[in-house]
Amino acid sequence: MHTDNPGLLAPTEATLLMFATDMDPETRKLVHVTYGAQGSGKRRIISIGTDAAHTDAVVAADRPWEDSPGLKGVTSPLMTIPVPGRDLVDGGSEHYLFWHDEGTKQLKYRTVRTVHGAPYTITPVTDDRAVSAHWEALRDVVWPVTSMPVPGRQEVDGQNESYLFHYDAEGRLWYSTISISHDPDHADTLVAGARPVADWWQASLKGIGQLMEIHPVPGRQNAGGASEFYVFHQDGQAGTARKLLYRRIAVATDAEHADTLVTEDRPVADWWSASLKGVA
């Protein structure tokens, strides 16, 4: 992560969010993507196949994210987390959308709903709220970038657990473990406090550049005792040309949650040319 602008700890050139809009395991998985420089972002719908090749394709072409009522006013989107129990409900899914308000310099979030069919409308469910006032588990988080569902810890005792990846003021990458309840209040809890990614994810995230997004690999969740994920990140230094890369990792579903590198870094431009062309 670059820290040439210490007053703004985020990626300032681009952002990438991917969140599922159709979790049906028997069909091609539809994924909603938002990306682009702050203030000029776009969104598209892509599909990732559950076949062995995980074939990708564009389902709906780029549109400005301001065209979607649920994204209007979002200046710097950071990450999404699924709302427990609100996926595949009445033809849509709900997510918490976290973003940085450029005007107030606050971390905020809103709940949005995505319709699973064309035109995949995104609508607001709640107004914007301050993260510091409503998320106990994120109280000390400076800059969240992405989350990962903890394998084997979904819908357990009425809770969904996630690894939350976030940067501190010096640009160091950390992760915490949080849980969100399935009850109507969706109470959040800090399960494990912040730990340095460099110390705890040496097998799978060693050498990671500026982390952008982590997304489940379709058809590879809780398969053979592990779940696999795509990890998207940028290489390069501030002021130089950056390249968007991805790798595949696996995390065991047992209590140890051992992590493994499945495939080395590959350029997104070469391997996702059908669906993520132009995303940098």
Side-chain angles (χ1 to χ4, degrees):
M1 177 186 179
H2 61 85
T3 54
D4 51 308
N5 184 354
L8 181 62
L9 305 175
T12 56
E13 290 85 3
T15 187
L16 170 66
L17 282 79
M18 299 174 68
F19 55 98
T21 58
D22 183 356
M23 294 293 288
D24 185 349
E26 301 302 322
T27 64
R28 301 182 76 185
K29 183 178 182 180
L30 300 180
V31 177
H32 181 98
V33 176
T34 66
Y35 77 99
Q38 293 176 356
S40 60
K42 300 176 182 179
R43 71 177 184 96
R44 70 177 64 163
I45 305 293
I46 73 170
S47 64
I48 308 172
T50 54
D51 56 303
H54 301 296
T55 306
D56 62 303
V58 172
V59 176
D62 286 349
R63 294 178 57 189
W65 70 48
E66 283 281 336
D67 286 357
S68 295
L71 300 178
K72 193 172 183 62
V74 174
T75 52
S76 296
L78 299 177
M79 70 171 188
T80 63
I81 297 178
V83 179
R86 298 300 299 169
D87 58 328
L88 293 175
V89 175
D90 298 328
S93 294
E94 293 182 11
H95 289 79
Y96 299 115
L97 171 61
F98 296 83
W99 64 288
H100 182 254
D101 188 324
E102 300 295 332
T104 64
K105 304 301 181 184
Q106 281 187 317
L107 285 177
K108 294 183 176 180
Y109 82 100
R110 63 179 67 173
T111 306
V112 299
R113 182 177 188 273
T114 302
V115 176
H116 292 161
Y120 305 100
T121 306
I122 302 174
T123 55
V125 177
T126 66
D127 293 332
D128 288 324
R129 299 170 177 175
V131 170
S132 60
H134 292 273
W135 285 80
E136 182 66 28
L138 275 68
R139 179 175 297 277
D140 296 322
V141 170
V142 176
W143 201 276
V145 287
T146 192
S147 67
M148 172 197 294
V150 179
R153 297 299 300 169
Q154 307 305 300
E155 301 184 21
V156 176
D157 298 328
Q159 302 283 326
N160 277 13
E161 290 188 9
S162 297
Y163 295 124
L164 178 71
F165 294 84
H166 51 100
Y167 285 101
D168 65 13
E170 283 71 45
R172 293 171 298 196
L173 184 59
W174 301 75
Y175 83 103
S176 309
T177 306
I178 69 172
S179 69
I180 305 174
S181 69
H182 279 246
D183 60 36
D185 291 333
H186 298 301
D188 64 295
T189 304
L190 182 64
V191 177
R195 300 173 178 179
V197 168
D199 294 342
W200 289 84
W201 293 77
Q202 295 182 12
S204 64
L205 298 182
K206 185 177 181 179
I208 201 80
Q210 180 171 289
L211 183 60
M212 303 293 287
E213 180 61 87
I214 298 177
H215 194 76
V217 178
R220 297 299 301 166
Q221 301 306 295
N222 298 319
S227 292
E228 294 186 8
F229 300 88
Y230 298 118
V231 178
F232 295 86
H233 64 105
Q234 284 182 330
D235 68 351
Q237 301 297 318
T240 66
R242 295 178 182 272
K243 181 183 295 184
L244 185 60
L245 306 173
Y246 84 102
R247 63 180 65 173
R248 272 175 65 177
I249 71 171
V251 181
T253 55
D254 60 19
E256 298 298 324
H257 299 303
D259 61 303
T260 307
L261 181 65
V262 178
T263 62
E264 301 279 352
D265 285 336
R266 297 171 174 175
V268 168
D270 295 341
W271 291 82
W272 294 73
S273 57
S275 63
L276 295 182
K277 185 177 182 179
V279 178

